[in-house]
Amino acid sequence: MLHTLALPALQDNYIWLLAGSDGACVVVDPGDAAPVFEAAARGLRPVAVLITHHHPDHIGGVDALLARFPVPCFGPDDPRIPAAATRVGDGDRVDVPALGVAFDVMAVPGHTRSHLAFHGAGVLFCGDSLFSLGCGRLFEGTPEQGLASLDRLAALPGDTVVCCTHEYTQANGRFARAVEPDNPARDARVAEVDAQRARGEPSLPTTIASELACNPFLRVDAPGVRATLAQRLGGEPRDRVQAFAALRAWKDGFRG
């Protein structure tokens, strides 16, 4: 049996582990090596590293981690990725024999131009492309790219376990309420998250089905979202891309 484990790191990051019953684990986006070393001291054993994108809070611990655990490492074909990583791209598969799992590599540009997601064993490691109730800022990509990437992720099976890499869910929930005031599924999700955080637990992972029901960035076609955008823009968005771009720009300055 495989299970996911979120290691808190830095300010609000999660380093994700996918671990087997014998302690072998895949490490995803180690922005800091220390939490992984602490997990290893408790019996977990890294057997591979996956990198979704080049931002320092996702790669800062890679070199130190690989120095102690010289295991295969996979990441985007981008000069900003640590040199030790094997470059992979859209349509590739990453095999992890120690866990008996293979990951499909998906290109999901938007947050960065070379951003990847890894999908395998019913789990999605999506970096900063998709958050619970939100999505990543478009630092390098276009709205067209960002929307297409989210559409790809949204098409995965509904029971896919989604491992996002930041604890942003409560703040995203406030924005989601402003965008789509009447959404009982989202209200239930926000209440669940508030209870989890009050207990000191992560709000993650989530699922594709939950995000389809609650996340405004996956709901650009929903009548409630379109109505709010039409009011905000002074008219109906001309297409899905404009709707998504307007949502993302609104979120960038949202202080609710």
Side-chain angles (χ1 to χ4, degrees):
M1 291 291 293
L2 301 177
H3 65 278
T4 59
L5 178 64
L7 303 181
L10 305 173
Q11 183 175 348
D12 50 33
N13 282 68
Y14 290 122
I15 300 167
W16 283 97
L17 307 183
L18 181 66
S21 57
D22 65 349
C25 63
V26 173
V27 181
V28 185
D29 283 352
D32 182 2
V36 185
F37 292 158
E38 292 168 6
R42 299 192 299 270
L44 292 168
R45 176 171 51 87
V47 295
V49 175
L50 305 179
I51 300 170
T52 63
H53 66 290
H54 73 276
H55 285 161
D57 60 324
H58 292 255
I59 64 170
V62 170
D63 289 341
L65 180 59
L66 295 180
R68 183 174 298 188
F69 299 99
V71 300
C73 177
F74 304 91
D77 187 4
D78 187 316
R80 299 170 293 184
I81 294 295
T86 298
R87 270 49 178 167
V88 292
D90 192 55
D92 288 339
R93 284 175 67 84
V94 171
D95 290 307
V96 185
L99 288 180
V101 65
F103 294 94
D104 293 318
V105 182
M106 304 172 68
V108 286
H111 183 66
T112 69
R113 64 175 181 265
S114 62
H115 202 301
L116 299 178
F118 298 87
H119 176 235
V123 179
L124 173 69
F125 296 111
C126 54
D128 288 356
S129 58
L130 173 65
F131 296 129
S132 184
L133 305 181
C135 73
R137 287 177 180 261
L138 302 179
F139 287 122
E140 297 178 4
T142 65
E144 290 86 352
Q145 289 175 316
L147 178 59
S149 293
L150 292 183
D151 284 344
R152 288 193 74 184
L153 299 180
L156 293 171
D159 61 356
T160 300
V161 175
V162 180
C163 297
C164 320
T165 46
H166 286 277
E167 186 53 75
Y168 290 165
T169 315
Q170 286 180 307
N172 288 342
R174 292 190 287 273
F175 178 70
R177 277 181 166 152
V179 172
E180 191 180 17
D182 184 16
N183 185 330
R186 188 270 330 289
D187 291 342
R189 170 66 175 144
V190 168
E192 174 191 47
V193 168
D194 287 345
Q196 289 171 319
R197 298 304 293 150
R199 296 192 298 266
E201 300 170 358
S203 67
L204 303 165
T206 179
T207 65
I208 290 294
S210 177
E211 295 309 306
L212 285 169
C214 305
N215 188 330
F217 291 98
L218 301 189
R219 297 175 57 79
V220 295
D221 301 313
V225 174
R226 286 300 183 102
T228 301
L229 286 176
Q231 184 177 22
R232 184 175 176 83
L233 296 173
E236 282 285 334
R238 64 177 176 270
D239 55 28
R240 299 178 75 244
V241 172
Q242 187 186 29
F244 175 77
L247 277 180
R248 187 59 259 178
W250 183 8
K251 179 62 168 67
D252 288 348
F254 185 75
R255 296 294 181 269

mmCIF file of all heavy atoms in Angstrom, residues 90-138:
data_model
loop_
_atom_site.group_PDB
_atom_site.id
_atom_site.type_symbol
_atom_site.label_atom_id
_atom_site.label_comp_id
_atom_site.label_asym_id
_atom_site.label_seq_id
_atom_site.Cartn_x
_atom_site.Cartn_y
_atom_site.Cartn_z
ATOM 1 N N ASP A 90 6.603 16.348 -21.500
ATOM 2 C CA ASP A 90 5.234 15.885 -21.693
ATOM 3 C C ASP A 90 5.198 14.540 -22.413
ATOM 4 O O ASP A 90 5.849 14.358 -23.439
ATOM 5 C CB ASP A 90 4.470 16.921 -22.517
ATOM 6 C CG ASP A 90 2.979 16.666 -22.530
ATOM 7 O OD1 ASP A 90 2.398 16.566 -21.444
ATOM 8 O OD2 ASP A 90 2.408 16.544 -23.631
ATOM 9 N N GLY A 91 4.454 13.598 -21.856
ATOM 10 C CA GLY A 91 4.312 12.277 -22.454
ATOM 11 C C GLY A 91 5.331 11.257 -21.993
ATOM 12 O O GLY A 91 5.183 10.063 -22.285
ATOM 13 N N ASP A 92 6.364 11.684 -21.279
ATOM 14 C CA ASP A 92 7.340 10.742 -20.737
ATOM 15 C C ASP A 92 6.738 9.992 -19.545
ATOM 16 O O ASP A 92 5.720 10.396 -18.977
ATOM 17 C CB ASP A 92 8.610 11.462 -20.282
ATOM 18 C CG ASP A 92 9.452 11.965 -21.436
ATOM 19 O OD1 ASP A 92 9.290 11.450 -22.554
ATOM 20 O OD2 ASP A 92 10.253 12.902 -21.220
ATOM 21 N N ARG A 93 7.385 8.888 -19.184
ATOM 22 C CA ARG A 93 7.007 8.138 -17.989
ATOM 23 C C ARG A 93 8.239 7.980 -17.106
ATOM 24 O O ARG A 93 9.339 7.720 -17.598
ATOM 25 C CB ARG A 93 6.449 6.758 -18.354
ATOM 26 C CG ARG A 93 5.031 6.812 -18.878
ATOM 27 C CD ARG A 93 4.542 5.454 -19.339
ATOM 28 N NE ARG A 93 4.381 4.489 -18.264
ATOM 29 C CZ ARG A 93 3.284 4.408 -17.502
ATOM 30 N NH1 ARG A 93 2.282 5.237 -17.693
ATOM 31 N NH2 ARG A 93 3.186 3.491 -16.556
ATOM 32 N N VAL A 94 8.023 8.163 -15.826
ATOM 33 C CA VAL A 94 9.082 8.009 -14.830
ATOM 34 C C VAL A 94 8.777 6.764 -14.017
ATOM 35 O O VAL A 94 7.766 6.704 -13.317
ATOM 36 C CB VAL A 94 9.173 9.247 -13.917
ATOM 37 C CG1 VAL A 94 10.130 8.983 -12.765
ATOM 38 C CG2 VAL A 94 9.605 10.472 -14.712
ATOM 39 N N ASP A 95 9.639 5.773 -14.106
ATOM 40 C CA ASP A 95 9.454 4.524 -13.372
ATOM 41 C C ASP A 95 10.189 4.581 -12.037
ATOM 42 O O ASP A 95 11.345 5.026 -11.975
ATOM 43 C CB ASP A 95 9.976 3.341 -14.181
ATOM 44 C CG ASP A 95 9.107 3.042 -15.391
ATOM 45 O OD1 ASP A 95 7.891 2.875 -15.211
ATOM 46 O OD2 ASP A 95 9.647 2.989 -16.512
ATOM 47 N N VAL A 96 9.527 4.122 -10.988
ATOM 48 C CA VAL A 96 10.132 4.018 -9.661
ATOM 49 C C VAL A 96 9.979 2.567 -9.224
ATOM 50 O O VAL A 96 9.020 2.206 -8.525
ATOM 51 C CB VAL A 96 9.476 4.980 -8.656
ATOM 52 C CG1 VAL A 96 10.213 4.923 -7.317
ATOM 53 C CG2 VAL A 96 9.463 6.400 -9.196
ATOM 54 N N PRO A 97 10.911 1.694 -9.617
ATOM 55 C CA PRO A 97 10.760 0.259 -9.333
ATOM 56 C C PRO A 97 10.629 -0.065 -7.850
ATOM 57 O O PRO A 97 9.918 -1.009 -7.484
ATOM 58 C CB PRO A 97 12.036 -0.334 -9.934
ATOM 59 C CG PRO A 97 12.495 0.650 -10.958
ATOM 60 C CD PRO A 97 12.108 1.988 -10.421
ATOM 61 N N ALA A 98 11.289 0.692 -7.003
ATOM 62 C CA ALA A 98 11.249 0.383 -5.566
ATOM 63 C C ALA A 98 9.839 0.489 -4.993
ATOM 64 O O ALA A 98 9.533 -0.134 -3.974
ATOM 65 C CB ALA A 98 12.193 1.309 -4.803
ATOM 66 N N LEU A 99 8.985 1.275 -5.657
ATOM 67 C CA LEU A 99 7.604 1.404 -5.204
ATOM 68 C C LEU A 99 6.625 0.702 -6.142
ATOM 69 O O LEU A 99 5.418 0.667 -5.867
ATOM 70 C CB LEU A 99 7.209 2.885 -5.104
ATOM 71 C CG LEU A 99 7.822 3.698 -3.967
ATOM 72 C CD1 LEU A 99 7.320 5.138 -4.026
ATOM 73 C CD2 LEU A 99 7.481 3.092 -2.626
ATOM 74 N N GLY A 100 7.138 0.198 -7.256
ATOM 75 C CA GLY A 100 6.259 -0.440 -8.222
ATOM 76 C C GLY A 100 5.277 0.524 -8.852
ATOM 77 O O GLY A 100 4.135 0.180 -9.154
ATOM 78 N N VAL A 101 5.711 1.771 -9.072
ATOM 79 C CA VAL A 101 4.831 2.801 -9.610
ATOM 80 C C VAL A 101 5.526 3.508 -10.765
ATOM 81 O O VAL A 101 6.759 3.622 -10.793
ATOM 82 C CB VAL A 101 4.428 3.806 -8.508
ATOM 83 C CG1 VAL A 101 5.632 4.579 -8.002
ATOM 84 C CG2 VAL A 101 3.363 4.775 -8.993
ATOM 85 N N ALA A 102 4.733 3.971 -11.717
ATOM 86 C CA ALA A 102 5.228 4.796 -12.813
ATOM 87 C C ALA A 102 4.384 6.063 -12.876
ATOM 88 O O ALA A 102 3.161 6.028 -12.664
ATOM 89 C CB ALA A 102 5.162 4.053 -14.140
ATOM 90 N N PHE A 103 5.018 7.174 -13.159
ATOM 91 C CA PHE A 103 4.339 8.456 -13.249
ATOM 92 C C PHE A 103 4.306 8.921 -14.704
ATOM 93 O O PHE A 103 5.328 8.900 -15.395
ATOM 94 C CB PHE A 103 5.064 9.518 -12.412
ATOM 95 C CG PHE A 103 5.035 9.260 -10.939
ATOM 96 C CD1 PHE A 103 6.080 8.596 -10.318
ATOM 97 C CD2 PHE A 103 3.955 9.675 -10.170
ATOM 98 C CE1 PHE A 103 6.062 8.355 -8.960
ATOM 99 C CE2 PHE A 103 3.934 9.433 -8.811
ATOM 100 C CZ PHE A 103 4.980 8.777 -8.201
ATOM 101 N N ASP A 104 3.132 9.342 -15.148
ATOM 102 C CA ASP A 104 3.018 10.025 -16.429
ATOM 103 C C ASP A 104 3.397 11.480 -16.224
ATOM 104 O O ASP A 104 2.934 12.133 -15.282
ATOM 105 C CB ASP A 104 1.588 9.936 -16.962
ATOM 106 C CG ASP A 104 1.203 8.516 -17.336
ATOM 107 O OD1 ASP A 104 2.042 7.825 -17.936
ATOM 108 O OD2 ASP A 104 0.070 8.107 -17.023
ATOM 109 N N VAL A 105 4.221 11.997 -17.136
ATOM 110 C CA VAL A 105 4.666 13.384 -17.058
ATOM 111 C C VAL A 105 3.740 14.244 -17.912
ATOM 112 O O VAL A 105 3.487 13.935 -19.076
ATOM 113 C CB VAL A 105 6.123 13.518 -17.535
ATOM 114 C CG1 VAL A 105 6.586 14.971 -17.411
ATOM 115 C CG2 VAL A 105 7.046 12.603 -16.724
ATOM 116 N N MET A 106 3.237 15.313 -17.328
ATOM 117 C CA MET A 106 2.328 16.218 -18.016
ATOM 118 C C MET A 106 2.915 17.622 -18.016
ATOM 119 O O MET A 106 3.291 18.148 -16.961
ATOM 120 C CB MET A 106 0.964 16.237 -17.321
ATOM 121 C CG MET A 106 0.301 14.885 -17.168
ATOM 122 S SD MET A 106 -1.195 14.954 -16.127
ATOM 123 C CE MET A 106 -2.288 15.910 -17.188
ATOM 124 N N ALA A 107 3.006 18.240 -19.191
ATOM 125 C CA ALA A 107 3.410 19.642 -19.270
ATOM 126 C C ALA A 107 2.216 20.508 -18.882
ATOM 127 O O ALA A 107 1.135 20.377 -19.455
ATOM 128 C CB ALA A 107 3.872 19.978 -20.680
ATOM 129 N N VAL A 108 2.409 21.382 -17.898
ATOM 130 C CA VAL A 108 1.333 22.262 -17.434
ATOM 131 C C VAL A 108 1.866 23.693 -17.322
ATOM 132 O O VAL A 108 1.941 24.263 -16.228
ATOM 133 C CB VAL A 108 0.727 21.775 -16.102
ATOM 134 C CG1 VAL A 108 -0.143 20.549 -16.329
ATOM 135 C CG2 VAL A 108 1.800 21.453 -15.062
ATOM 136 N N PRO A 109 2.248 24.300 -18.440
ATOM 137 C CA PRO A 109 2.796 25.660 -18.398
ATOM 138 C C PRO A 109 1.753 26.663 -17.945
ATOM 139 O O PRO A 109 0.547 26.456 -18.090
ATOM 140 C CB PRO A 109 3.216 25.904 -19.850
ATOM 141 C CG PRO A 109 2.309 25.024 -20.660
ATOM 142 C CD PRO A 109 2.130 23.792 -19.817
ATOM 143 N N GLY A 110 2.248 27.753 -17.400
ATOM 144 C CA GLY A 110 1.391 28.823 -16.902
ATOM 145 C C GLY A 110 2.086 29.522 -15.754
ATOM 146 O O GLY A 110 2.540 30.660 -15.885
ATOM 147 N N HIS A 111 2.197 28.838 -14.626
ATOM 148 C CA HIS A 111 2.931 29.385 -13.481
ATOM 149 C C HIS A 111 4.381 29.645 -13.892
ATOM 150 O O HIS A 111 4.940 30.706 -13.606
ATOM 151 C CB HIS A 111 2.852 28.393 -12.326
ATOM 152 C CG HIS A 111 3.502 28.857 -11.070
ATOM 153 N ND1 HIS A 111 3.046 29.928 -10.330
ATOM 154 C CD2 HIS A 111 4.570 28.369 -10.388
ATOM 155 C CE1 HIS A 111 3.811 30.097 -9.277
ATOM 156 N NE2 HIS A 111 4.748 29.160 -9.281
ATOM 157 N N THR A 112 5.008 28.672 -14.522
ATOM 158 C CA THR A 112 6.286 28.851 -15.221
ATOM 159 C C THR A 112 6.137 28.218 -16.599
ATOM 160 O O THR A 112 5.229 27.423 -16.842
ATOM 161 C CB THR A 112 7.465 28.185 -14.477
ATOM 162 O OG1 THR A 112 7.318 26.761 -14.552
ATOM 163 C CG2 THR A 112 7.533 28.627 -13.019
ATOM 164 N N ARG A 113 7.048 28.537 -17.489
ATOM 165 C CA ARG A 113 6.907 28.033 -18.866
ATOM 166 C C ARG A 113 7.224 26.546 -18.969
ATOM 167 O O ARG A 113 6.767 25.873 -19.883
ATOM 168 C CB ARG A 113 7.798 28.827 -19.818
ATOM 169 C CG ARG A 113 9.294 28.707 -19.573
ATOM 170 C CD ARG A 113 10.102 29.433 -20.651
ATOM 171 N NE ARG A 113 11.528 29.324 -20.449
ATOM 172 C CZ ARG A 113 12.265 30.231 -19.819
ATOM 173 N NH1 ARG A 113 11.686 31.318 -19.308
ATOM 174 N NH2 ARG A 113 13.565 30.068 -19.673
ATOM 175 N N SER A 114 8.014 25.999 -18.030
ATOM 176 C CA SER A 114 8.425 24.592 -18.125
ATOM 177 C C SER A 114 7.822 23.730 -17.022
ATOM 178 O O SER A 114 8.295 22.620 -16.779
ATOM 179 C CB SER A 114 9.956 24.499 -18.074
ATOM 180 O OG SER A 114 10.457 25.000 -16.840
ATOM 181 N N HIS A 115 6.775 24.191 -16.385
ATOM 182 C CA HIS A 115 6.165 23.486 -15.253
ATOM 183 C C HIS A 115 5.658 22.109 -15.690
ATOM 184 O O HIS A 115 5.034 21.955 -16.739
ATOM 185 C CB HIS A 115 5.005 24.314 -14.708
ATOM 186 C CG HIS A 115 4.622 24.006 -13.302
ATOM 187 N ND1 HIS A 115 4.212 22.763 -12.887
ATOM 188 C CD2 HIS A 115 4.582 24.798 -12.192
ATOM 189 C CE1 HIS A 115 3.929 22.803 -11.589
ATOM 190 N NE2 HIS A 115 4.142 24.029 -11.142
ATOM 191 N N LEU A 116 5.902 21.104 -14.836
ATOM 192 C CA LEU A 116 5.428 19.743 -15.058
ATOM 193 C C LEU A 116 4.526 19.307 -13.908
ATOM 194 O O LEU A 116 4.612 19.831 -12.796
ATOM 195 C CB LEU A 116 6.597 18.760 -15.150
ATOM 196 C CG LEU A 116 7.619 18.959 -16.257
ATOM 197 C CD1 LEU A 116 8.727 17.903 -16.136
ATOM 198 C CD2 LEU A 116 6.969 18.892 -17.635
ATOM 199 N N ALA A 117 3.686 18.313 -14.199
ATOM 200 C CA ALA A 117 2.957 17.579 -13.174
ATOM 201 C C ALA A 117 3.251 16.104 -13.364
ATOM 202 O O ALA A 117 3.552 15.659 -14.486
ATOM 203 C CB ALA A 117 1.462 17.852 -13.263
ATOM 204 N N PHE A 118 3.166 15.339 -12.289
ATOM 205 C CA PHE A 118 3.434 13.905 -12.313
ATOM 206 C C PHE A 118 2.195 13.174 -11.803
ATOM 207 O O PHE A 118 1.722 13.456 -10.695
ATOM 208 C CB PHE A 118 4.646 13.563 -11.449
ATOM 209 C CG PHE A 118 5.931 14.185 -11.910
ATOM 210 C CD1 PHE A 118 6.297 15.462 -11.490
ATOM 211 C CD2 PHE A 118 6.779 13.504 -12.777
ATOM 212 C CE1 PHE A 118 7.484 16.043 -11.922
ATOM 213 C CE2 PHE A 118 7.975 14.068 -13.210
ATOM 214 C CZ PHE A 118 8.322 15.342 -12.786
ATOM 215 N N HIS A 119 1.691 12.224 -12.600
ATOM 216 C CA HIS A 119 0.462 11.516 -12.259
ATOM 217 C C HIS A 119 0.729 10.017 -12.287
ATOM 218 O O HIS A 119 1.166 9.469 -13.295
ATOM 219 C CB HIS A 119 -0.638 11.870 -13.271
ATOM 220 C CG HIS A 119 -1.913 11.121 -13.068
ATOM 221 N ND1 HIS A 119 -2.510 10.375 -14.060
ATOM 222 C CD2 HIS A 119 -2.701 10.982 -11.972
ATOM 223 C CE1 HIS A 119 -3.613 9.825 -13.597
ATOM 224 N NE2 HIS A 119 -3.752 10.175 -12.329
ATOM 225 N N GLY A 120 0.480 9.355 -11.162
ATOM 226 C CA GLY A 120 0.673 7.912 -11.084
ATOM 227 C C GLY A 120 0.093 7.361 -9.797
ATOM 228 O O GLY A 120 -0.014 8.077 -8.791
ATOM 229 N N ALA A 121 -0.304 6.101 -9.825
ATOM 230 C CA ALA A 121 -0.869 5.425 -8.655
ATOM 231 C C ALA A 121 -2.067 6.177 -8.083
ATOM 232 O O ALA A 121 -2.299 6.165 -6.866
ATOM 233 C CB ALA A 121 0.208 5.230 -7.580
ATOM 234 N N GLY A 122 -2.818 6.860 -8.953
ATOM 235 C CA GLY A 122 -3.983 7.603 -8.501
ATOM 236 C C GLY A 122 -3.680 8.901 -7.803
ATOM 237 O O GLY A 122 -4.571 9.508 -7.192
ATOM 238 N N VAL A 123 -2.417 9.371 -7.893
ATOM 239 C CA VAL A 123 -1.975 10.580 -7.204
ATOM 240 C C VAL A 123 -1.440 11.573 -8.228
ATOM 241 O O VAL A 123 -0.762 11.187 -9.187
ATOM 242 C CB VAL A 123 -0.882 10.254 -6.162
ATOM 243 C CG1 VAL A 123 -0.399 11.517 -5.466
ATOM 244 C CG2 VAL A 123 -1.399 9.248 -5.145
ATOM 245 N N LEU A 124 -1.726 12.845 -8.025
ATOM 246 C CA LEU A 124 -1.217 13.920 -8.872
ATOM 247 C C LEU A 124 -0.347 14.841 -8.037
ATOM 248 O O LEU A 124 -0.804 15.404 -7.041
ATOM 249 C CB LEU A 124 -2.385 14.720 -9.465
ATOM 250 C CG LEU A 124 -2.002 15.982 -10.247
ATOM 251 C CD1 LEU A 124 -1.287 15.619 -11.545
ATOM 252 C CD2 LEU A 124 -3.231 16.842 -10.513
ATOM 253 N N PHE A 125 0.907 14.996 -8.456
ATOM 254 C CA PHE A 125 1.802 15.995 -7.881
ATOM 255 C C PHE A 125 1.852 17.149 -8.876
ATOM 256 O O PHE A 125 2.461 17.035 -9.947
ATOM 257 C CB PHE A 125 3.184 15.401 -7.634
ATOM 258 C CG PHE A 125 3.184 14.296 -6.619
ATOM 259 C CD1 PHE A 125 3.425 12.983 -6.999
ATOM 260 C CD2 PHE A 125 2.920 14.557 -5.289
ATOM 261 C CE1 PHE A 125 3.424 11.949 -6.068
ATOM 262 C CE2 PHE A 125 2.915 13.535 -4.347
ATOM 263 C CZ PHE A 125 3.161 12.229 -4.733
ATOM 264 N N CYS A 126 1.202 18.255 -8.520
ATOM 265 C CA CYS A 126 0.956 19.320 -9.490
ATOM 266 C C CYS A 126 1.722 20.596 -9.198
ATOM 267 O O CYS A 126 1.501 21.613 -9.871
ATOM 268 C CB CYS A 126 -0.539 19.610 -9.574
ATOM 269 S SG CYS A 126 -1.315 19.986 -7.987
ATOM 270 N N GLY A 127 2.625 20.571 -8.210
ATOM 271 C CA GLY A 127 3.422 21.768 -7.946
ATOM 272 C C GLY A 127 2.537 22.958 -7.648
ATOM 273 O O GLY A 127 1.625 22.901 -6.831
ATOM 274 N N ASP A 128 2.803 24.079 -8.349
ATOM 275 C CA ASP A 128 2.032 25.309 -8.158
ATOM 276 C C ASP A 128 1.072 25.571 -9.312
ATOM 277 O O ASP A 128 0.591 26.703 -9.465
ATOM 278 C CB ASP A 128 2.981 26.498 -8.012
ATOM 279 C CG ASP A 128 3.730 26.516 -6.692
ATOM 280 O OD1 ASP A 128 3.465 25.636 -5.847
ATOM 281 O OD2 ASP A 128 4.594 27.393 -6.509
ATOM 282 N N SER A 129 0.796 24.565 -10.136
ATOM 283 C CA SER A 129 -0.146 24.784 -11.243
ATOM 284 C C SER A 129 -1.579 24.826 -10.743
ATOM 285 O O SER A 129 -2.390 25.639 -11.195
ATOM 286 C CB SER A 129 0.016 23.692 -12.303
ATOM 287 O OG SER A 129 -0.193 22.396 -11.756
ATOM 288 N N LEU A 130 -1.919 23.962 -9.798
ATOM 289 C CA LEU A 130 -3.263 23.861 -9.234
ATOM 290 C C LEU A 130 -3.153 23.857 -7.718
ATOM 291 O O LEU A 130 -2.326 23.123 -7.157
ATOM 292 C CB LEU A 130 -3.941 22.570 -9.711
ATOM 293 C CG LEU A 130 -5.295 22.215 -9.096
ATOM 294 C CD1 LEU A 130 -6.360 23.235 -9.477
ATOM 295 C CD2 LEU A 130 -5.720 20.808 -9.526
ATOM 296 N N PHE A 131 -3.974 24.680 -7.071
ATOM 297 C CA PHE A 131 -4.094 24.654 -5.620
ATOM 298 C C PHE A 131 -5.515 24.264 -5.256
ATOM 299 O O PHE A 131 -6.433 24.369 -6.072
ATOM 300 C CB PHE A 131 -3.785 26.027 -5.010
ATOM 301 C CG PHE A 131 -2.381 26.496 -5.221
ATOM 302 C CD1 PHE A 131 -2.131 27.758 -5.728
ATOM 303 C CD2 PHE A 131 -1.309 25.690 -4.908
ATOM 304 C CE1 PHE A 131 -0.835 28.203 -5.920
ATOM 305 C CE2 PHE A 131 0.000 26.115 -5.089
ATOM 306 C CZ PHE A 131 0.234 27.381 -5.607
ATOM 307 N N SER A 132 -5.737 23.862 -4.038
ATOM 308 C CA SER A 132 -7.100 23.630 -3.596
ATOM 309 C C SER A 132 -7.824 24.973 -3.536
ATOM 310 O O SER A 132 -7.377 25.912 -2.874
ATOM 311 C CB SER A 132 -7.136 22.959 -2.226
ATOM 312 O OG SER A 132 -8.471 22.661 -1.878
ATOM 313 N N LEU A 133 -8.910 25.075 -4.284
ATOM 314 C CA LEU A 133 -9.725 26.276 -4.424
ATOM 315 C C LEU A 133 -9.002 27.405 -5.150
ATOM 316 O O LEU A 133 -9.481 28.544 -5.152
ATOM 317 C CB LEU A 133 -10.246 26.771 -3.062
ATOM 318 C CG LEU A 133 -11.025 25.749 -2.228
ATOM 319 C CD1 LEU A 133 -11.505 26.387 -0.934
ATOM 320 C CD2 LEU A 133 -12.204 25.201 -3.002
ATOM 321 N N GLY A 134 -7.889 27.105 -5.813
ATOM 322 C CA GLY A 134 -7.165 28.149 -6.520
ATOM 323 C C GLY A 134 -6.216 27.593 -7.550
ATOM 324 O O GLY A 134 -6.228 26.403 -7.887
ATOM 325 N N CYS A 135 -5.348 28.455 -8.061
ATOM 326 C CA CYS A 135 -4.294 28.051 -8.999
ATOM 327 C C CYS A 135 -3.129 29.013 -8.850
ATOM 328 O O CYS A 135 -3.243 30.050 -8.194
ATOM 329 C CB CYS A 135 -4.806 28.044 -10.451
ATOM 330 S SG CYS A 135 -5.075 29.679 -11.183
ATOM 331 N N GLY A 136 -1.999 28.656 -9.450
ATOM 332 C CA GLY A 136 -0.803 29.477 -9.327
ATOM 333 C C GLY A 136 -0.853 30.727 -10.182
ATOM 334 O O GLY A 136 -1.530 30.776 -11.214
ATOM 335 N N ARG A 137 -0.137 31.742 -9.746
ATOM 336 C CA ARG A 137 0.003 32.956 -10.558
ATOM 337 C C ARG A 137 0.673 32.621 -11.895
ATOM 338 O O ARG A 137 1.512 31.715 -11.976
ATOM 339 C CB ARG A 137 0.858 33.998 -9.828
ATOM 340 C CG ARG A 137 0.172 34.681 -8.657
ATOM 341 C CD ARG A 137 1.134 35.629 -7.974
ATOM 342 N NE ARG A 137 0.524 36.316 -6.838
ATOM 343 C CZ ARG A 137 0.039 37.561 -6.878
ATOM 344 N NH1 ARG A 137 0.101 38.255 -8.004
ATOM 345 N NH2 ARG A 137 -0.487 38.109 -5.801
ATOM 346 N N LEU A 138 0.355 33.406 -12.906
ATOM 347 C CA LEU A 138 0.947 33.200 -14.229
ATOM 348 C C LEU A 138 2.210 34.045 -14.346
ATOM 349 O O LEU A 138 2.224 35.088 -14.991
ATOM 350 C CB LEU A 138 -0.067 33.575 -15.320
ATOM 351 C CG LEU A 138 -1.390 32.811 -15.293
ATOM 352 C CD1 LEU A 138 -2.307 33.295 -16.414
ATOM 353 C CD2 LEU A 138 -1.159 31.311 -15.403
#
